[in-house]
Amino acid sequence: MGEPILLTTWPFGDAANRAAWPALEAGGSSLDAVEAVCAHVDDDESVHTVGYGGLPDRDGAVSLDGCVMQSPARVGSVCAVRRHAHPVTLARRVMEETPHVMLAGPGADGFGDACGFAPVELLAPEARARWERRAPSRSHDTVCCLALDRAGVLSGGCSSSGAAYKLPGRVGDSPIPGHGLYVDPAHGGAAATGNGELVMGLCSSFLAVEEMRSGANPLAALLEALERIQAAHELAEDDQVAMVALAPDGRHASAALRKGYATAVLRPGSGGVVEPDAILLDE
Ligand code: ASP
């Protein structure tokens, strides 16, 4: 039996990790854990980048994206969800109960209805007020969670309301396997948060896992993925991408293009919010 671990993006991941921890520590599955972590952040109205409370698009509508993955054959995703608050839960149902990988827009909402989930209004009063005055936002804070359970099974999940004030219809990296999240049970998982447009042309999470498949440790794998982003784009001063990686043996790392990012880590006997192992720029 191995040690369980939770690796979740951003400081808000800490409370979510702690809520999901007792079940994982008691032998629960990593899939249940990533679903619970993401749902916990979805329900936190003070997080304006995920779930209920997320900032809307240009026209005032909140739309959510999410993905869950355990292997290339066990992956589910939803995007542009307007009436259901837990995209990772929906994505898991897509993975487990349909022959498909991804459902989008009204089809995803209809699937949520058919699963028996009660529809909700996703636009919280404070998010509406911020949209009305176009209050500036650090809009790129997706929750991504990589988890390993006592049975040694690796799972990943991510949930996002995407970019604040995005064009209606915009979908980012988070729900797309290989872009915002990728898991290979033999070699590891990786996930990305930040400006999805920087990630999507490079399949950054897939790239990081492929680096691990080739023998790189988690930090070297993330640095390769971030360096490829830096090389491919003319980065603006506020462009940010941060990534996390977890190997099947529990080794893990996080890295970011810029300062301002931190990871919530929880394992037996230790836990908390840690600075990234490397920051590519800003040093
Ligand atoms: N990566 C997400 C997206 O571009 C945003 C985020 O990380 O908050 O949709």
Side-chain angles (χ1 to χ4, degrees):
M1 295 288 268
E3 277 200 345
I5 180 165
L6 283 171
L7 192 64
T8 303
T9 52
W10 301 104
F12 57 59
D14 191 43
N17 281 353
R18 289 177 194 283
W21 183 250
L24 186 67
E25 193 179 31
S29 76
S30 57
L31 187 58
D32 287 344
V34 299
E35 183 182 352
V37 166
C38 292
H40 191 278
V41 181
D42 289 333
D43 290 341
D44 185 343
E45 187 184 337
S46 70
V47 178
H48 293 300
T49 48
V50 178
Y52 178 71
L55 287 170
D57 66 16
R58 182 195 64 187
D59 296 348
V62 177
S63 60
L64 304 182
D65 304 326
C67 186
V68 67
M69 186 160 188
Q70 294 191 293
S71 78
R74 294 239 337 138
V75 51
S77 135
V78 291
C79 70
V81 170
R82 292 259 189 110
R83 295 191 283 102
H84 291 282
H86 298 135
V88 171
T89 297
L90 279 186
R92 180 175 178 179
R93 291 293 194 103
V94 172
M95 176 176 86
E96 292 180 335
E97 296 174 15
T98 82
H100 308 304
V101 169
M102 185 174 200
L103 296 179
D109 276 312
F111 177 71
D113 298 340
C115 288
F117 298 122
V120 293
E121 167 58 63
L122 294 173
L123 183 59
E126 196 198 328
R128 174 191 289 278
R130 292 170 76 101
W131 169 72
E132 281 167 352
R133 53 178 208 280
R134 293 294 195 279
S137 160
R138 278 188 29 188
S139 62
H140 293 293
D141 292 2
T142 292
V143 58
C144 307
C145 178
L146 298 173
L148 195 58
D149 60 30
R150 289 197 183 278
V153 176
L154 195 59
S155 300
C158 62
S159 174
S160 183
S161 55
Y165 319 131
K166 61 196 173 189
L167 283 180
R170 181 265 188 193
V171 171
D173 59 322
S174 305
I176 303 182
H179 293 216
L181 174 69
Y182 194 75
V183 177
D184 180 312
H187 301 287
T193 176
N195 185 341
E197 279 73 9
L198 299 175
V199 168
M200 295 175 77
L202 290 153
C203 305
S204 299
S205 296
F206 178 74
L207 176 61
V209 174
E210 285 301 291
E211 288 293 311
M212 291 195 276
R213 180 197 297 277
S214 303
N217 65 41
L219 179 57
L222 295 183
L223 285 174
E224 173 64 20
L226 292 173
E227 280 164 7
R228 292 280 291 273
I229 289 173
Q230 186 193 7
H233 294 279
E234 294 283 335
L235 294 176
E237 261 179 40
D238 59 351
D239 274 336
Q240 172 69 302
V241 175
M243 295 186 72
V244 290
L246 175 61
D249 62 7
R251 287 174 300 141
H252 58 87
S254 60
L257 286 178
R258 300 190 184 284
K259 290 177 186 160
Y261 168 76
T263 305
V265 186
L266 198 48
R267 59 193 321 165
S270 70
V273 175
V274 301
E275 290 299 311
D277 299 293
I279 298 171
L280 208 61
L281 309 170
D282 288 350
E283 301 224 78

